[in-house]
Amino acid sequence: MFPNRRLSQMCIRASLSLAIFALATGSGFAASSQATTPSPEDESGQISVTVWLNLHNKAALDDMVQDMYDKTSPNYHRFLSLKDFKEQFAPTAKEAATVRDFLTAHNMKVTAMDKNNHFVVAQGRVGDAETAFNTKVNRMMVNGAAHRVNTPTFSITGPAAALVSSVQGLSDLTYHANVKPGVNPETSTPYAGVSPSAVGPDGLFFSGECLRPPEVVTFTTGGSTPKAIYSGNRYGADINSPAPNLPSCGYDAAEMQKAYGLNKVYKSGLDGTGQTIVIVDAFGSNTILSDANLFSSLNGLPALTDSNFAIFTPNGSATCTATNGCISGNWQYETTLDVEWAHAIAPGANIVLVLAADNSFTNLDLANLFAIENGFGTVLSNSFGAPEILLQNFSPSELTVENGISEIAAALGISHNISSGDSGDFLVEDTANGVPAVSVTANAASPFATGVGGTSTFLDSKQNIELQTGWGMNFARIAEPTPNPPTIPPLLFGFQSGSGGGTSVVYAKPKYQKGDTTGGVKFRQVPDISMNADPETGNEIIVTPTSVPGDDVFVEVFGGTSLSTPMFSGFWAIANQAAAAEGLGPLGNAAPILYELPDDAIIDVNLKPVDTLLNVTGIIYDPPNAPVFESAAALAGPEAPTKRFVSALFQSSTSTRWDVFTFGTDSSLATGPGWDNVTGLGTPNGLTFINKVVKAVK
């Protein structure tokens, strides 16, 4: 039912209301967004545009890249050098000059040109830009802030018309960071952090026991009825637990390394040495080096120094302040999570952090291209996105640009790893804004990228994975604050957050996915792979929340596919090291290889019936009414097509209320055997994964 509904969006996207524009702003996609009627932008105002040029021989490039990832082709893994790519496919300096002259003729001042002629940047009046690109730029209020949107999409006349593929800057839609703090859902506030000095230097501050043995909890009203008795799994530490077992739960580096089988990988001499993970973020964190080095010290990781860590700012500058959108967008947390957890998984790898000046489409795209053109490394990690359907309707140029960047990366042997999003199928947000449209996250859906989804990960007492679900959480309230009278009937709050995924409405299913994903679907399926991402089973970070040097530093718990993506990028850097040790070149885009691997290389995220035996159930006694049995399914309220989930009792450390957390209920997406649209193929299986990747490309 749901896949067909998603595909049906293709026929309505041309008529979608401008209300969907409200989804594109801020650090996320707020259900309360309200958009006003557009009004013309001030034509005398200044605007900066980035004009992207068409590649040469695009059809030949498409065929070549497909052959690079087809093991039956003689061109398998024969990646291009940047010099070869430029000679065969890049625009020429003469073509860039033609575009420059076009802009100059329309009273716009050219401020930058790409060294490989991919783009030209110019600044000028809004009115001149409207004339140059045959469009109208409007101003509208969204969530109390003014934003630009242009209609119709651009068109160009004259000699430059055949040279231009996309124009950015006419609209100011932005990307959001796919980072999620561990949050008490009933208060919508993050769990309190702790000073790193609170415990000894063992790296463990929060409880590593996210799923505890079952408990029976009785709630009464004044010591009598109405009352309720609930039993089942218990989530997280008790609310009065001191450090180093703070509630609710959160994993340190050693726990994650053990869980993913990396100790054996490290003992075999593989830790990412000789490889570079390139991370692209907006704004950055002004305290990233000191925070990451404290994280490294507490977790027994190598320090980040000038020899293994570098920062580049291709847009001229990048700082994180309370006034430029960084703090409100959680980009300081995003940057910290990316750097610390890429380093935790591949401690021997170099890290290059490329920071865009802001989270605009233009500057993040330029940062990605900068990273690729400078050949920093063969693993490129992005943990930001926006709904694909939003771009398809209001910024199709952006889809063209970002897909083209991913194709260049794939042609050069770079794996462009992109988070699949933190809002499930986006239907909740879209419907709240009057547009009942589901969507995958751009650009994780590009056939030239690797989409990274998320799991909820539960460890046993020996830090092995006890069970995993696809990340997607519902919750229900079952008792009020102390003295905890029962909530009758239980209050269902429904879907909170979860791994993005589903079916693209833009890109055809690539050859490497055929036969391996949902049958009969002709479009790209997301994600390809997954790792821990649920903030309720999240990972610890060391961060200065204000991003002001000298301010207080905290240990906090974060998740989101912004966690799974840098962790997988660390895994892929190690795989590249192993391949290099065998005399092989770079592995390139991970996704096509993942679908070639045998079953034992990737752990299927599929709950067994035994995993659900201890789910929470209850009985409510409210005389003279008959007792009411609350089943696990009734308390979870899972949406179809979910088949299996895990639920657990939770007590809020702030309100003392009791809830039931349900893990594995991800909007209309569902985790199941084999590939699924929440976790992809599953999670990497340690040394077996590394060895089988190398074997697959030999």
Side-chain angles (χ1 to χ4, degrees):
M1 176 174 67
F2 289 102
N4 289 336
R5 183 179 65 177
R6 279 193 293 273
L7 288 175
S8 71
Q9 304 307 320
M10 296 173 59
C11 65
I12 68 167
R13 58 178 185 254
S15 61
L16 286 179
S17 164
L18 276 173
I20 197 173
F21 179 75
L23 300 176
T25 61
S27 62
F29 295 79
S32 61
S33 297
Q34 297 294 326
T36 58
T37 302
S39 60
E41 176 76 310
D42 179 2
E43 292 189 350
S44 65
Q46 291 293 301
I47 192 170
S48 178
V49 296
T50 301
V51 180
W52 293 79
L53 279 70
N54 287 312
L55 295 175
H56 288 188
N57 308 313
K58 182 63 165 57
L61 175 63
D62 294 345
D63 290 342
M64 179 180 290
V65 174
Q66 179 168 293
D67 287 347
M68 288 175 179
Y69 293 94
D70 181 352
K71 203 166 185 180
T72 65
S73 169
N75 290 322
Y76 181 68
H77 276 201
R78 293 182 177 272
F79 302 123
L80 295 174
S81 67
L82 184 60
K83 179 176 180 294
D84 289 339
F85 181 89
K86 183 176 180 180
E87 290 175 350
Q88 297 180 49
F89 302 110
T92 66
K94 182 178 180 181
E95 291 168 339
T98 299
V99 173
R100 177 199 63 204
D101 293 344
F102 166 82
L103 292 166
T104 301
H106 286 84
N107 303 316
M108 304 197 76
K109 180 181 178 181
V110 172
T111 58
M113 298 179 68
D114 177 46
K115 64 182 181 181
N116 292 315
N117 309 312
H118 289 295
F119 62 82
V120 180
V121 181
Q123 187 172 11
R125 296 174 62 256
V126 169
D128 290 328
E130 290 177 323
T131 301
F133 302 112
N134 295 300
T135 189
K136 283 294 181 181
V137 179
N138 296 311
R139 174 72 45 169
M140 60 192 303
M141 295 297 295
V142 182
N143 282 343
H147 291 273
R148 292 195 309 269
V149 60
N150 70 294
T151 55
T153 57
F154 78 93
S155 64
I156 292 175
T157 59
L163 305 178
V164 174
S165 68
S166 307
V167 178
Q168 292 177 313
L170 298 172
S171 296
D172 65 355
L173 308 183
T174 58
Y175 283 120
H176 65 275
N178 288 323
V179 62
K180 289 278 187 179
V183 167
N184 182 346
E186 67 172 42
T187 63
S188 298
T189 57
Y191 300 121
V194 61
S195 169
S197 63
V199 299
D202 60 1
L204 175 63
F205 295 84
F206 290 83
S207 172
E209 191 176 14
C210 293
L211 195 66
R212 292 164 54 190
E215 295 183 5
V216 178
V217 184
T218 300
F219 306 111
T220 65
T221 304
S224 183
T225 59
K227 74 174 184 177
I229 302 174
Y230 290 90
S231 62
N233 299 309
R234 178 67 190 274
Y235 164 77
D238 292 335
I239 62 174
N240 58 355
S241 295
N245 289 294
L246 292 167
S248 290
C249 75
Y251 301 127
D252 65 3
E255 288 166 331
M256 282 286 94
Q257 290 167 349
K258 177 72 183 300
Y260 286 121
L262 285 164
N263 291 342
K264 291 183 179 179
V265 175
Y266 301 151
K267 287 180 181 178
S268 71
L270 299 171
D271 62 0
T273 296
Q275 303 299 311
T276 298
I277 302 168
V278 186
I279 297 168
V280 172
D281 278 318
F283 302 109
S285 165
N286 306 325
T287 58
I288 183 57
L289 186 58
S290 60
D291 290 347
N293 275 332
L294 181 54
F295 175 87
S296 297
S297 174
L298 291 169
N299 286 281
L301 303 170
L304 295 178
T305 67
D306 291 343
S307 65
N308 63 356
F309 181 66
I311 298 176
F312 293 90
T313 54
N315 308 135
S317 66
T319 59
C320 185
T321 71
T323 58
N324 66 0
C326 175
I327 301 297
S328 62
N330 285 336
W331 287 95
Q332 81 282 32
Y333 292 115
E334 176 64 68
T335 303
T336 304
L337 190 70
D338 285 342
V339 171
E340 291 180 356
W341 278 94
H343 187 48
I345 298 299
N350 301 323
I351 293 178
V352 168
L353 178 61
V354 179
L355 297 177
D358 57 35
N359 58 326
S360 65
F361 290 169
T362 300
N363 282 335
L364 280 167
D365 288 338
L366 293 180
N368 269 324
L369 185 64
F370 174 86
I372 293 167
E373 288 187 328
N374 282 279
F376 291 134
T378 57
V379 180
L380 176 59
S381 187
N382 286 180
S383 297
F384 49 84
E388 181 188 75
I389 199 166
L390 176 114
L391 302 188
Q392 176 68 359
N393 281 273
F394 292 101
S395 190
S397 285
E398 176 58 16
L399 287 172
T400 302
V401 171
E402 63 180 13
N403 187 57
I405 289 172
S406 293
E407 184 171 21
I408 294 172
L412 300 180
I414 299 169
S415 187
H416 196 179
N417 304 329
I418 303 176
S419 58
S420 71
D422 299 345
S423 299
D425 63 10
F426 283 108
L427 185 60
V428 172
E429 288 84 352
D430 290 7
T431 300
N433 286 278
V435 185
V438 297
S439 180
V440 296
T441 296
N443 186 38
S446 168
F448 305 112
T450 297
V452 185
T455 66
S456 302
T457 306
F458 301 95
L459 307 186
D460 62 21
S461 60
K462 296 182 179 179
Q463 291 80 52
N464 296 311
I465 294 177
E466 181 178 358
L467 60 88
Q468 297 184 102
T469 72
W471 170 34
M473 197 192 83
N474 290 11
F475 88 102
R477 180 167 302 152
I478 58 174
E480 298 305 311
T482 300
N484 301 130
T487 304
I488 301 176
L491 185 58
L492 304 181
F493 288 89
F495 175 67
Q496 301 300 300
S497 61
S499 177
T503 303
S504 171
V505 297
V506 175
Y507 302 112
K509 182 185 285 188
K511 184 177 181 180
Y512 58 79
Q513 280 196 316
K514 293 179 180 178
D516 290 288
T517 58
T518 49
V521 177
K522 297 180 180 179
F523 293 86
R524 170 77 160 111
Q525 303 286 282
V526 182
D528 301 301
I529 194 79
S530 60
M531 295 184 74
N532 189 40
D534 186 347
E536 304 300 336
T537 66
N539 292 9
E540 296 173 349
I541 64 171
I542 303 289
V543 64
T544 304
T546 63
S547 198
V548 175
D551 278 6
D552 290 340
V553 181
F554 292 95
V555 186
E556 299 191 23
V557 175
F558 270 79
T561 49
S562 287
L563 171 60
S564 56
T565 302
M567 287 202 296
F568 177 72
S569 295
F571 246 102
W572 203 243
I574 294 173
N576 271 276
Q577 179 192 4
E582 296 290 326
L584 304 172
L587 295 170
N589 185 21
I593 299 172
L594 299 178
Y595 292 90
E596 298 178 10
L597 300 180
D599 291 344
D600 62 344
I602 298 177
I603 301 170
D604 189 15
V605 180
N606 179 35
L607 291 172
K608 309 296 190 295
V610 68
D611 297 325
T612 67
L613 292 179
L614 299 177
N615 283 350
V616 178
T617 59
I619 300 178
I620 296 174
Y621 299 93
D622 188 13
N625 301 312
V628 175
F629 174 70
E630 296 288 347
S631 68
L635 291 168
E639 300 180 33
T642 298
K643 301 299 182 184
R644 296 194 183 107
F645 54 85
V646 170
S647 62
L649 296 161
F650 162 76
Q651 186 179 22
S652 167
S653 59
T654 55
S655 72
T656 72
R657 290 189 179 99
W658 285 78
D659 302 315
V660 175
F661 279 8
T662 304
F663 302 92
T665 48
D666 186 3
S667 59
S668 66
L669 310 177
T671 308
W675 182 92
D676 63 65
N677 56 17
V678 179
T679 70
L681 295 167
T683 59
N685 186 17
L687 187 59
T688 301
F689 174 83
I690 302 297
N691 290 337
K692 294 301 174 67
V693 166
V694 174
K695 184 177 180 180
V697 300
K698 281 186 174 179

